[in-house]
Each structure stands twice: as structure tokens, then as C-alpha cells.
Amino acid sequence: MEFELQYNDIKSNARAGLITTGHGVIETPIFMPVGTQGTVKAVHMTELKEDINAPVILGNTYHLYLRPGLEILEKAGGLHQFNSWDRAILTDSGGFQVFSLSDNRKLQEEGATFRSHIDGSKHLFTPENVMDMQRTIGADIIMAFDECCPGDADYAYAKKSLGLTEHWLDRCLHRFHSTEPKYGYAQSLFPIVQGCVYPDLRKQAAENVASKEADGNAIGGLAVGEPTEKMYEMIEIVNEILPKDKPCYLMGVGTPVNILEAIERGVDMFDCIMPTRNGRNGQLFTQYGTINIRNKKWEADFSPVDPDTHSYVDTLYSKAYLHHLIKADEILALQIASIHNLAFYLWLVREARTHIIEGDFSTWKTRMVCQLSNRL
């Protein structure tokens, strides 16, 4: 993987670049749709490529390991072949499931033992076998195995958790460098900076990660219960330390405003389930604010949701039609809302890139944050 830093904003740490992978080039800043189980919910691959124009999507190691299983994925030739996606893929290591499935897992120095949410069976994830799993899945970018510490953890827990994450990272790197990709293209490993909301721990973690000289780096353990301002503070602390010539990925974040604030602080890559999950529940994101399409006020509004995103669903369908579909519990409502929200997120980061290049990002971002904060 190669990263070319092309432009720096003169008034902030925002930047624009190019990530070159074995499955294409990614312009940054970029938002990556989440395809946890090998599919972005309610969205066809053709729409992801031709309408949303996503250059990269996510998969999740924990879920793909359980179903369909690594044997099936390897027989298929990797996830790209299995789900017919010929652009880049990034896989989460299962570290977030250490946090989200805390009732069904046990942590130890060796790794994390999970009870499957499907059938209750036990499975041990270690730094070594997680690297092997991601080699088999075949993602272009794979993540180190870490503990995603809760945002409200006390200092003692956060310090112990970071120690475990750093120990696991060394083991991930050793396994990664002693194995080869399986399907004829390169894979890159991104370490993850943890440390909860404690500045000294985040500095320690960022310095350790920077020393590994990986192809890119990630910031994890944010948007997991801590105050928003703390999240922004931690990003600033970490990005003062992480190398500027490598892409920075903020994991699991977030709202459109979160994304713009993080871009301003030097983040290049984002993912979040919010566009599709919220869309399936009737919340639509637009450049003028959020819409609850279930509300009666949209019943006779025949205007498009947000035509400037240039998504075909905004050309074809009105707010009134989508209001009708969602009230009638039609499956098409989930599809239209998901496509719209993803198209909007991709539009937003592309607009951010354009304004970074044109030199007026800070002015544009201030205006957009005000608009995006509205409830329509």
C-alpha cells in the first residue's frame, strides 16, 4: 500500500491524499461503508460502485469467521471473490467485539475467548490467529487485534487495557511479517492507538504505534461513551505524534459533524454503521440537517431528499414517497434510505477534499457544521 499526501489545508490539519491498494486508488478523506458480514445492509454491490461510488468497504473478522467461515472464504478465493467486490476492503480484527460483546467474552493475556452469538460455542481469538484469519479473508487493509476500552473506564483499567493492546500488537506484527498474503496482492497492517480519554496513555500509545512504521495507523476506542469534546481532544493529541506521511483512520466515527471535525484535526479515513442503521430507522442525513422521514410533515413533500448528493434515489424518489414506504414497512424504504445516507456521506468527504484542495476548507467546514446540526 502506498500513501501520497497531496494537499494540506493552510488553516488546519486537514489534508487530501491518495491511498493505492491492490484493488484500486482511494482518494482521502474517505468514508468507508460498513459491510460487516460481507454485505452493506440493504445495498447491492452495483449501487455501492455505480451510484455511491465507494472505493473501499469494510468487513468484520469476528462475524465472517463465524459465518460463512474461513474454509468457505478460502475456497472462494477470498472475500473479494465471494461477494463480487473488486475494490478495496478493510477488515476490523474483532477488537471492537471485545468491547461490544463484553458479556460473552473472557479476556486474558493469550487472547479473547468469545461465545458465539449464533450458537453459544466458544472461540479463542489471539493476535496470531486473527492475523491468519485476515490473511484468509483477503482484505487489503487489516487491523491489529486490540482491546477497545470503554469510554468511561477508570485510569487503572485503561492503563492495564493499553498494556494488553500493546503486547498484542507486537505479536500481531511478528505474525504478520512471518506470513504471506494468499491471493496474489499485498496486504497492509494498521496498528491501533488506544488509551481511553487519558492524555498520557494516548501519548504513550501513539508513540508506540508510530515506532512500528506501519503502512497506516488507526485511532480506536473513541465514540464509545466518552464526551464528544474528549474525543476531539484525544484525536488532537494522537495526531501530533502519528507520522504525517501515513494515513490516519478514526475507527467507528461517526456523525457528519464528527467527521468534519476529525478531518480538520488530520484524520483521513472513517467508518460507521450510522448511515445504514439510522437510515433503516427513518433518519436521513442531508447537507441542511437531519430528517425523520416518518414525521407527518413529509407526507405531501414531493421534493427530493437532497439532490446535491447526485444519488439516483434522490433523482427518482420524493420525501413523500419515502415517507409512505417507511410508514408501510416496505423493504424498499430501507434500501432507498441506506443508499441516500451512504451517498450523502461519500458526497460530504468528497466536498471536504475539494475544499481542502481549493484552500477554503475551514470556511466551508464552519458553515457546514452549522447546517448539519439542524433537525429539519
Side-chain angles (χ1 to χ4, degrees):
M1 192 197 83
E2 296 178 358
F3 178 62
E4 177 188 352
L5 182 57
Q6 297 176 298
Y7 301 92
N8 287 289
D9 182 53
I10 59 175
K11 294 183 178 179
S12 72
N13 289 321
R15 71 242 200 102
L18 292 176
I19 298 172
T20 302
T21 74
H23 287 91
V25 176
I26 304 166
E27 293 184 341
T28 66
I30 189 63
F31 178 83
M32 303 177 287
V34 177
T36 301
Q37 301 191 85
T39 176
V40 177
K41 290 187 186 300
V43 182
H44 194 279
M45 293 298 180
T46 302
E47 292 159 333
L48 279 171
K49 289 200 291 188
E50 296 181 2
D51 188 44
I52 297 165
N53 194 20
V56 52
I57 62 173
L58 266 68
N60 182 272
T61 298
Y62 166 83
H63 289 281
L64 292 169
Y65 161 82
L66 291 178
R67 189 169 51 194
L70 299 179
E71 182 180 355
I72 295 296
L73 289 171
E74 188 158 18
K75 284 181 178 178
L79 183 57
H80 289 91
Q81 295 297 316
F82 188 62
N83 69 358
S84 299
W85 179 254
D86 60 3
R87 299 183 182 182
I89 296 176
L90 181 150
T91 42
D92 181 15
S93 66
F96 183 73
Q97 278 66 46
V98 174
F99 163 74
S100 64
L101 300 178
S102 58
D103 292 339
N104 291 322
R105 61 94 174 128
K106 180 180 179 181
L107 277 181
Q108 51 204 351
E109 185 174 328
E110 183 182 6
T113 301
F114 294 96
R115 281 198 176 274
S116 167
H117 68 286
I118 300 169
D119 61 10
S121 57
K122 282 187 177 182
H123 303 271
L124 175 64
F125 277 35
T126 69
E128 292 80 12
N129 69 21
V130 165
M131 294 299 96
D132 297 345
M133 291 174 196
Q134 292 183 87
R135 288 290 200 196
T136 297
I137 293 168
D140 301 89
I141 300 171
I142 71 178
M143 304 306 299
F145 191 47
D146 64 330
E147 181 188 359
C148 181
C149 182
D152 59 356
D154 62 31
Y155 184 86
Y157 184 94
K159 184 174 182 179
K160 182 180 179 181
S161 172
L162 177 58
L164 186 62
T165 289
E166 292 187 333
H167 174 59
W168 284 356
L169 174 58
D170 289 337
R171 290 166 56 189
C172 285
L173 287 163
H174 182 267
R175 186 61 156 226
F176 179 77
H177 290 303
S178 63
T179 56
E180 296 291 333
K182 294 187 174 184
Y183 307 115
Y185 52 87
Q187 293 176 294
S188 294
L189 172 63
F190 281 24
I192 303 171
V193 175
Q194 291 288 351
C196 197
V197 295
Y198 302 104
D200 63 321
L201 297 182
R202 285 286 177 179
K203 289 177 184 177
Q204 172 190 323
E207 288 167 357
N208 182 59
V209 162
S211 74
K212 306 304 181 184
E213 299 183 347
D215 287 345
N217 302 296
I219 305 172
L222 294 176
V224 289
E226 80 287 351
T228 302
E229 289 308 314
K230 273 291 181 184
M231 175 173 69
Y232 298 151
E233 179 189 348
M234 295 305 107
I235 295 170
E236 290 171 6
I237 289 169
V238 168
N239 270 349
E240 282 295 313
I241 299 167
L242 291 181
K244 302 296 188 288
D245 61 342
K246 303 292 177 66
C248 176
Y249 164 32
L250 179 60
M251 303 180 74
V253 178
T255 68
V257 170
N258 291 158
I259 288 173
L260 292 186
E261 294 288 355
I263 289 173
E264 186 177 55
R265 290 163 170 81
V267 174
D268 307 294
M269 303 166 67
F270 303 87
D271 79 284
C272 190
I273 62 172
M274 187 172 285
T276 48
R277 182 192 61 190
N278 290 28
R280 294 194 306 273
N281 287 287
Q283 185 181 48
L284 305 178
F285 297 98
T286 80
Q287 63 182 303
Y288 304 107
T290 56
I291 292 173
N292 182 348
I293 201 64
R294 293 181 180 276
N295 289 347
K296 188 176 178 59
K297 67 185 293 184
W298 311 114
E299 183 179 40
D301 187 328
F302 301 104
S303 64
V305 176
D306 191 345
D308 289 342
T309 62
H310 304 296
S311 167
Y312 83 89
V313 299
D314 292 314
T315 303
L316 290 176
Y317 306 119
S318 67
K319 297 186 186 80
Y321 183 59
L322 187 49
H323 169 83
H324 158 67
L325 292 178
I326 206 126
K327 294 292 283 186
D329 291 327
E330 285 288 343
I331 293 173
L332 182 58
L334 313 184
Q335 184 178 19
I336 292 173
S338 297
I339 293 170
H340 164 78
N341 279 350
L342 287 173
F344 171 74
Y345 267 62
L346 269 294
W347 173 87
L348 185 68
V349 293
R350 289 183 184 121
E351 283 292 294
R353 176 183 169 85
T354 296
H355 288 281
I356 292 167
I357 293 170
E358 293 178 349
D360 64 346
F361 170 79
S362 294
T363 302
W364 172 82
K365 176 255 177 182
T366 299
R367 173 170 59 83
M368 286 301 300
V369 165
C370 291
Q371 290 181 192
L372 293 168
S373 300
N374 293 328
R375 291 190 175 273
L376 302 177

